[in-house]
């Protein structure tokens, strides 16, 4: 007894019906004749988060972003009263770093977001000292 006949007996159908169903299972008749599947169609890659990221990384990055925003807001308020050009330049760099941190957190790169948020926070603190 061959594998095909035992399979046909298990399904309860005859060999001609099994021969008709084989191309449907394998794909097109040309693929059934070759006995292999064609290459899968090109699809968009799936967005997969890296395995090294833990669930609380987003929370930590968001917390650092909030601290940086608070320090930059204080520095911006004090710089409106009038400060040195160096302090204004540092505040501008802090705002750029904060914007980059927001972009990194949206892209899912939480480590870069935390580092850029800390840099923005430090620039805001230095601006407070100079202002």
């Amino acid at each position: 007894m061959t594998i095909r006949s035992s399979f046909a007996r298990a399904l309860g159908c005859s060999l001609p019906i099994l021969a008709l169903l084989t191309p449907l299972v394998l794909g097109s008749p040309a693929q059934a004749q070759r006995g292999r599947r064609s290459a899968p169609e090109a699809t968009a890659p799936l967005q997969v988060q890296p395995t090294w990221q833990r669930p609380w990384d987003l929370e930590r990055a968001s917390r650092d972003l909030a601290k940086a925003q608070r320090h930059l807001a204080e520095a911006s308020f004090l710089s409106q009263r009038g400060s040195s050009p160096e302090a204004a330049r540092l505040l501008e760099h802090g705002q750029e770093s904060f914007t980059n941190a927001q972009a990194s957190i949206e892209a899912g790169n939480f480590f870069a977001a935390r580092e850029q948020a800390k840099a923005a926070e430090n620039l805001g603190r230095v601006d407070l000292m100079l202002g």
Side-chain angles (χ1 to χ4, degrees), residues 19 59 77 83 97 106 125:
E59 180 183 335
F77 174 74
S83 63
S97 181
E106 288 174 7
R125 285 183 182 174

Side-chain angles (χ1 to χ4, degrees), residues 82-101:
S83 63
S84 66
E86 294 87 15
R89 194 173 72 239
L90 287 175
L91 180 63
E92 185 178 312
H93 287 301
Q95 293 289 352
E96 287 176 17
S97 181
F98 181 77
T99 304
N100 291 339

Side-chain angles (χ1 to χ4, degrees), residues 34-101:
R34 286 182 286 182
R36 57 188 166 119
R37 295 183 184 263
S38 64
E41 295 180 21
T43 58
L46 296 175
Q47 293 290 340
V48 178
Q49 280 205 342
T51 57
W52 51 266
Q53 288 183 347
R54 297 175 301 263
W56 57 83
D57 286 340
L58 174 62
E59 180 183 335
R60 291 171 68 190
S62 298
R63 188 174 38 235
D64 288 341
L65 209 60
K67 281 174 55 177
Q69 186 176 20
R70 186 173 56 247
H71 282 284
L72 288 173
E74 290 174 7
S76 176
F77 174 74
L78 292 176
S79 71
Q80 289 175 356
R81 293 184 171 177
S83 63
S84 66
E86 294 87 15
R89 194 173 72 239
L90 287 175
L91 180 63
E92 185 178 312
H93 287 301
Q95 293 289 352
E96 287 176 17
S97 181
F98 181 77
T99 304
N100 291 339

